[in-house]
Amino acid sequence: MSQNTSRTRSVQIFGFDGRTRQAPLTLTAVAMAVMALAGQAQAQSAPAAAAPAPAAEKIEAVVVTGSRIRGVAPVGSSVTSLTRADIDQSGAVSTAQMLQEIPQVFNLGVSENSRGQGGGSGNITYGSSVNLRGIGPYATLTLINGHRAVAQGTTGASIDPSIIPTLALQRVEIVADGASAIYGSDAVAGVVNLILRRKVDGPEAFVKYGTADQYSERQIGALWGTEWKGGSFTAAFQNDDQTALSGRDRDFFSGDLRAQGGGDFRSTQCAPGNIVIAGTSYAIPAGGVTAANRAALVAGTSNKCDNLKYADLVPRKERNSGTFTFNQELGHGISLYADGFATRRQYEFRPTMLASNLNVPSTNPFYVRPIGAPAGSSETVTYSFANELPQNTNFGESKSIQGTIGADIALGANWKAGVLYTYGKNNDQANTLHGLNNAAVTAALASTNPLTALNPFGSGPNNPATLAAISNNVSISPGETIFQNYQLKADGPVMDLPGGKMRAAFGYEGQKISSEGGQTTGPATNPVTGSLKLSRDIDSVYGEVLVPVFGASNALPFVQKLDLDLAVRHDKYSDVGGTTNPKVGINWVPLKGLTLRSSYGTSFRAPGLTQIKGFSNGGKGGLFVQNYSDPTNNGALRVGVTLNGGDPSLTPETATNKSFGFDWDIPLGNRTKLSMTYFDIKYENQVTNYLADLTILNREASFAGTGIIQRNPDPAFVAQTIANYAVLSGVLPSTWTLFVDGRNRNLGKSVTQGVDFQASTRVATENWGNFGFGLSGTYFTKYEVATSPGAAMVDQLNVIYNPLRFKTRLAVNWGLGAWYLNAFANYQNGYTNNLAAPSQRVASFTSVDARAAYEFNGDNGPAWMKGTTVALGVVNMFDRQPPFVNIAQSANGGGGFDPTLTNPVGRTVSISLNKRF
């Protein structure tokens, strides 16, 4: 991280929260303010480097996002910033939730309440990641103070931004443009930089409590900082806690959607269940069935039940996090800095009731064959253990710790060198302790002893010992990732040009990543443990040069300033080869206050270690039995077998990024600004898997010829697959009617185009206070996807589980004296649900958030209340329910609403108290 040592001067900042205050700024920060607009709606008028700060906090060190040259905003790309004031005004409990308020961020794939899209299958500890523009949960690079961080999850696949507590954030900067030429892998859609608070003088504490229907959340935090001659230290701690939200507590979550004009997607795995022979179903009557009353079994009937209604929509979570920052000037042009964090998140999640399709042999003492059914030696009973076994609970934790130490050294001629070392470690573990024991289920069904045999016909209670034996399967999935990062860099002026000083930066970056994980599966009395250790070394070199072609000394009409930025980076991986990525950026100022910009570059993402060779079954992969929504059967659920695993032949994903736009300080009113950016991203060779996609049959035609979907697979293939792979979840059906290959492959391709826009203005009045207005949003013009290299591009814009055409956020703020009011309107357009038959038009959704705060400044209350702010906030003020979506329930979302776009919690009212001492 570069430390800017330019002299500071005090300027008046008219904060978007309605206040006027004093805050020191670097001269570089002022330059950045001219070029960058804040993109979050509540920050529309606050440039990234000029964020308002608490009265006792000074912002002197500037962390630059999107450039390796000190004090230079990224040329050709815009910067979206959340300031400290924006963070205070947000109703979000976590950093991840706060980022999802930004229109460019989509909740697709890796989040706590949505796991059905790409990447979701690996999110077994219910973390979150940033998914800019919705093109992939692993295509956005998350940084901390400008440097990389250790990844989270049992597979170390992505960084959860909530590892940094909201109290510890000074600001968040987002460059929604390809940046692999600057930072390397993962920066395909852009970069998110979490910048920690520094130079705080004194303590600060806050508490917040929020409540909704059958749900609550709490935050408690404290921060302390101190300064001395040439140095500073700041530390923060925060505890976040949220309760679970059960599907039983939300009426719109249901398997039977007929009342809303949708389908009946309830399961047939019920209690009592159904006998199925040769595709014909016979509903078992209440009270069960025996040979004596088998006439009650009627062909073509079935029991249906809403098993997933009892599952959690949001997991219960508690997180404890701490951060620190340190700076020290040593003299002689040498400065030291350090930062770090430690976090532990624990979770509990209640999935659906245990259920299965049981293959019952005729030797079972409770066996009943329906009258008129064809003869046979076995039959299938679709069955739920809801009345016999307690609801299971998945639980686990995620722990991360990281420290960074670095030094900047003045070399003379205004050149500065820097060295940095980061060490981080993450441990995640997911546990399920009472799953179905496949071998015990088969044995109990095959038993001829009425005292030990499993009776799925409902005619009497099962032996508790038998039930205990069939539900003692454990699944424990640990994962450890160790990350080391080394950097050596230098930057400074190269020569004087007529347009200004030509500046350059170059450096070396090394990374060492190791991941170790596996699974312990099987009966609790005799589980099988498999473990695998993977590693990767990365060596990278980069260079960047800023060429001021025109400036104040050689300006021309309509060319007051013209800057050209050239960057290139080469990354060499020990396992997937090397890649070189350039980027060109241009800023042109034709008129005062108007900057036109454009960029072109290539980006890449290296496949994750566990995408190449997964931890499942010691790297061999395994089989999962899952329920799929099948449009050929009116959306009813079909039992399918899925193969999970890695692919050693994977190669890096690649992308080409183009953008152009403008930033305009309009001479109208008070600090009126307008910004627009057109983006064009061609993303190829994407690593995809379909393990978690339980709606894949709705797009079956697009997978023709790939072998990913096989209906009624050949018996020889089934036998070979069973011989080669262990069953990791579920009970294999006696006859396979569906097989899905869920292994990782370089299959996907997408083209994304659209426009980001941001606008803001302020109105100051003499007697009515100060007003601020901001608007930000994203409008997509194209989003086309191909599911395999030879497949045609298919328009997926405005289609369920893909980017929406239009999302926007409007902010209105007012401040008068000690009062501050903020209101935010969030809008997303309607879209097409093509998973329903016929396709459904899902309604648009608008929600309103608000916050009212009162600050005691010493003149309006007791002296001991000085520095105290009391606030009342509400998220989804009008308690708008999610729009109805005609889609089946699954373990990864659905059931009447779309969890990727709407929060099932509903209206949440909170009260908070913040005290600065």
Side-chain angles (χ1 to χ4, degrees):
M1 182 190 71
S2 299
Q3 301 297 315
N4 192 317
T5 56
S6 304
R7 66 182 180 90
T8 63
R9 60 188 179 95
S10 182
V11 298
Q12 291 284 339
I13 299 179
F14 183 78
F16 195 55
D17 55 3
R19 312 179 212 195
T20 302
R21 64 181 81 184
Q22 294 279 340
L25 287 181
T26 60
L27 295 177
T28 301
V30 175
M32 290 177 65
V34 176
M35 301 173 65
L37 263 175
Q40 172 68 336
Q42 64 261 56
Q44 287 300 314
S45 54
E57 186 171 347
K58 293 179 283 186
I59 308 171
E60 293 179 344
V62 175
V63 179
V64 177
T65 306
S67 176
R68 294 287 188 175
I69 301 175
R70 280 175 294 141
V72 174
V75 175
S77 304
S78 64
V79 178
T80 295
S81 178
L82 297 177
T83 69
R84 183 64 232 171
D86 304 326
I87 296 165
D88 288 337
Q89 294 163 14
S90 172
V93 177
S94 66
T95 301
Q97 290 180 8
M98 180 184 65
L99 290 171
Q100 287 171 7
E101 295 174 350
I102 300 173
Q104 292 95 331
V105 177
F106 283 78
N107 186 31
L108 290 168
V110 178
S111 70
E112 67 177 18
N113 66 330
S114 173
R115 300 173 57 246
Q117 292 70 52
S121 61
N123 186 27
I124 60 176
T125 57
Y126 302 94
S128 297
S129 71
V130 183
N131 188 347
L132 283 173
R133 309 208 193 285
I135 66 174
Y138 306 136
T140 300
L141 175 63
T142 299
L143 305 173
I144 298 176
N145 284 340
H147 56 74
R148 286 180 175 263
V150 63
Q152 286 77 56
T154 57
T155 60
S158 63
I159 294 173
D160 187 339
S162 296
I163 56 176
I164 303 300
T166 56
L167 180 65
L169 288 170
Q170 176 58 47
R171 68 185 187 276
V172 179
E173 293 184 349
I174 301 172
V175 178
D177 197 3
S180 288
I182 306 296
Y183 297 111
S185 179
D186 306 339
V188 174
V191 179
V192 174
N193 193 5
L194 308 176
I195 301 169
L196 303 181
R197 295 171 72 176
R198 295 178 182 267
K199 296 186 179 297
V200 178
D201 191 9
E204 178 182 341
F206 91 106
V207 60
K208 178 180 178 180
Y209 177 79
T211 182
D213 181 21
Q214 303 297 319
Y215 172 85
S216 66
E217 56 192 31
R218 183 200 70 219
Q219 289 180 294
I220 302 174
L223 178 140
W224 175 78
T226 185
E227 294 186 76
W228 58 87
K229 184 178 181 180
S232 66
F233 176 83
T234 301
F237 172 81
Q238 184 170 308
N239 170 267
D240 300 335
D241 186 274
Q242 71 177 41
T243 63
L245 177 65
S246 173
R248 290 172 291 180
D249 297 323
R250 293 297 180 265
D251 292 338
F252 54 78
F253 179 67
S254 176
D256 188 355
L257 305 176
R258 289 175 295 176
Q260 295 98 320
D264 184 359
F265 302 114
R266 291 174 297 170
S267 173
T268 58
Q269 295 173 334
C270 301
N274 301 280
I275 299 173
V276 180
I277 300 174
T280 300
S281 175
Y282 304 80
I284 297 175
V289 64
T290 65
N293 68 334
R294 64 177 184 151
L297 296 172
V298 179
T301 61
S302 62
N303 295 313
K304 291 190 175 183
C305 49
D306 203 345
N307 290 337
L308 282 166
K309 185 70 175 176
Y310 297 88
D312 284 340
L313 298 177
V314 174
R316 189 230 184 283
K317 294 200 300 185
E318 181 177 9
R319 185 193 295 273
N320 291 288
S321 302
T323 66
F324 80 91
T325 59
F326 167 81
N327 288 78
Q328 180 63 57
E329 300 287 342
L330 301 181
H332 304 289
I334 302 175
S335 61
L336 296 178
Y337 60 90
D339 59 62
F341 67 86
T343 181
R344 182 188 185 192
R345 174 175 55 84
Q346 297 173 288
Y347 74 90
E348 291 181 359
F349 182 84
R350 291 169 297 180
T352 182
M353 298 293 187
L354 291 176
S356 184
N357 286 3
L358 306 176
N359 182 33
V360 186
S362 58
T363 55
N364 184 291
F366 306 102
Y367 184 87
V368 178
R369 194 77 174 182
I371 297 174
S377 59
S378 66
E379 63 191 22
T380 298
V381 177
T382 59
Y383 190 69
S384 170
F385 294 91
N387 298 330
E388 298 173 295
L389 296 174
Q391 187 173 7
N392 210 343
T393 300
N394 300 337
F395 67 96
E397 66 177 7
S398 176
K399 298 186 296 184
S400 295
I401 186 169
Q402 177 168 302
T404 296
I405 184 168
D408 286 332
I409 305 169
L411 302 177
N414 205 26
W415 272 79
K416 181 176 285 189
V419 61
L420 174 150
Y421 173 72
T422 296
Y423 177 89
K425 183 178 180 180
N426 170 257
N427 291 95
D428 271 40
Q429 182 163 306
N431 308 285
T432 302
L433 301 185
H434 298 287
L436 288 179
N437 181 335
N438 298 336
V441 169
T442 300
L445 290 171
S447 174
T448 59
N449 183 349
L451 297 179
T452 59
L454 179 62
N455 177 10
F457 296 95
S459 56
N462 279 297
N463 187 327
T466 299
L467 293 174
I470 68 174
S471 62
N472 72 342
N473 200 71
V474 300
S475 176
I476 302 173
S477 301
E480 177 182 273
T481 299
I482 295 176
F483 170 75
Q484 297 182 75
N485 186 213
Y486 316 82
Q487 292 189 37
L488 181 64
K489 55 189 177 181
D491 76 291
V494 177
M495 66 176 68
D496 289 325
L497 297 176
K501 287 187 179 296
M502 178 179 175
R503 303 182 64 184
F506 60 89
Y508 162 82
E509 182 175 0
Q511 300 177 60
K512 291 184 177 294
I513 304 171
S514 64
S515 290
E516 183 173 5
Q519 282 186 320
T520 297
T521 58
T525 55
N526 186 31
V528 176
T529 298
S531 182
L532 187 66
K533 186 171 184 179
L534 308 170
S535 63
R536 164 182 286 170
D537 293 341
I538 310 167
D539 292 292
S540 308
V541 291
Y542 62 85
E544 181 181 4
V545 60
L546 174 65
V547 182
V549 181
F550 289 94
S553 62
N554 65 339
L556 298 174
F558 301 108
V559 190
Q560 295 191 6
K561 188 176 179 62
L562 181 65
D563 289 335
L564 174 66
D565 188 270
L566 307 172
V568 65
R569 177 176 172 126
H570 178 77
D571 298 87
K572 183 179 180 181
Y573 283 71
S574 58
D575 54 350
V576 294
T579 177
T580 300
N581 292 274
K583 185 175 182 178
V584 180
I586 299 175
N587 279 2
W588 168 31
V589 180
L591 302 170
K592 182 180 179 180
L594 176 62
T595 299
L596 307 179
R597 47 182 165 73
S598 181
S599 70
Y600 172 87
T602 63
S603 299
F604 80 102
R605 189 191 80 87
L609 285 171
T610 57
Q611 290 182 316
I612 296 173
K613 191 171 185 179
F615 289 149
S616 297
N617 196 24
K620 300 177 183 178
L623 300 174
F624 290 76
V625 180
Q626 304 183 123
N627 291 326
Y628 289 83
S629 174
D630 188 354
T632 66
N633 191 24
N634 297 320
L637 299 180
R638 177 179 293 278
V639 177
V641 180
T642 307
L643 175 60
N644 180 39
D647 182 358
S649 66
L650 291 178
T651 58
E653 303 171 341
T654 60
T656 301
N657 303 74
K658 307 172 188 176
S659 72
F660 62 85
F662 66 86
D663 301 317
W664 187 14
D665 290 327
I666 303 175
L668 175 67
N670 191 350
R671 295 187 66 182
T672 301
K673 299 186 177 183
L674 177 64
S675 175
M676 296 189 72
T677 301
Y678 172 80
F679 55 87
D680 183 338
I681 306 168
K682 184 179 181 181
Y683 194 11
E684 299 179 285
N685 216 35
Q686 291 176 250
V687 177
T688 59
N689 73 68
Y690 298 96
L691 176 65
D693 189 348
L694 303 182
T695 62
I696 189 173
L697 298 182
N698 296 81
R699 306 184 310 282
E700 186 171 0
S702 65
F703 293 96
T706 65
I708 291 176
I709 298 175
Q710 296 184 45
R711 289 186 182 268
N712 303 309
D714 183 79
F717 171 84
V718 172
Q720 187 65 46
T721 302
I722 294 174
N724 290 342
Y725 299 99
V727 180
L728 303 181
S729 176
V731 178
L732 288 177
S734 56
T735 301
W736 292 18
T737 61
L738 174 66
F739 172 78
V740 177
D741 190 337
R743 292 176 295 181
N744 295 304
R745 298 185 184 184
N746 285 112
L747 292 176
K749 176 182 177 181
S750 64
V751 175
T752 308
Q753 297 173 354
V755 176
D756 293 333
F757 60 90
Q758 302 150 2
S760 63
T761 191
R762 297 187 177 128
V763 178
T765 67
E766 186 173 346
N767 299 317
W768 297 94
N770 301 319
F771 296 85
F773 303 91
L775 180 70
S776 66
T778 296
Y779 185 88
F780 284 80
T781 58
K782 176 185 285 190
Y783 182 72
E784 294 182 348
V785 175
T787 56
S788 63
M793 299 295 290
V794 178
D795 182 9
Q796 294 293 322
L797 179 60
N798 236 32
V799 174
I800 189 169
Y801 301 150
N802 290 283
L804 296 182
R805 182 177 297 279
F806 182 50
K807 290 177 65 180
T808 188
R809 183 170 169 92
L810 170 69
V812 179
N813 300 316
W814 170 79
L816 178 64
W819 284 99
Y820 310 100
L821 300 179
N822 313 94
F824 311 98
N826 313 285
Y827 172 81
Q828 57 193 34
N829 63 220
Y831 59 95
T832 299
N833 170 22
N834 65 350
L835 302 182
S839 292
Q840 175 207 3
R841 181 64 181 176
V842 179
S844 62
F845 184 72
T846 302
S847 65
V848 176
D849 309 329
R851 178 178 181 267
Y854 186 83
E855 181 178 3
F856 293 89
N857 56 25
D859 297 328
N860 57 348
W864 60 270
M865 288 287 287
K866 183 178 180 180
T868 301
T869 300
V870 179
L872 178 68
V874 58
V875 175
N876 193 359
M877 177 184 294
F878 302 107
D879 201 21
R880 292 285 309 279
Q881 288 193 358
F884 169 66
V885 182
N886 185 24
I887 186 172
Q889 293 169 313
S890 79
N892 298 326
F897 83 108
D898 184 348
T900 68
L901 293 174
T902 49
N903 190 329
V905 171
R907 179 170 52 213
T908 305
V909 180
S910 65
I911 185 169
S912 63
L913 185 148
N914 184 284
K915 172 68 173 177
R916 295 188 177 98
F917 297 89

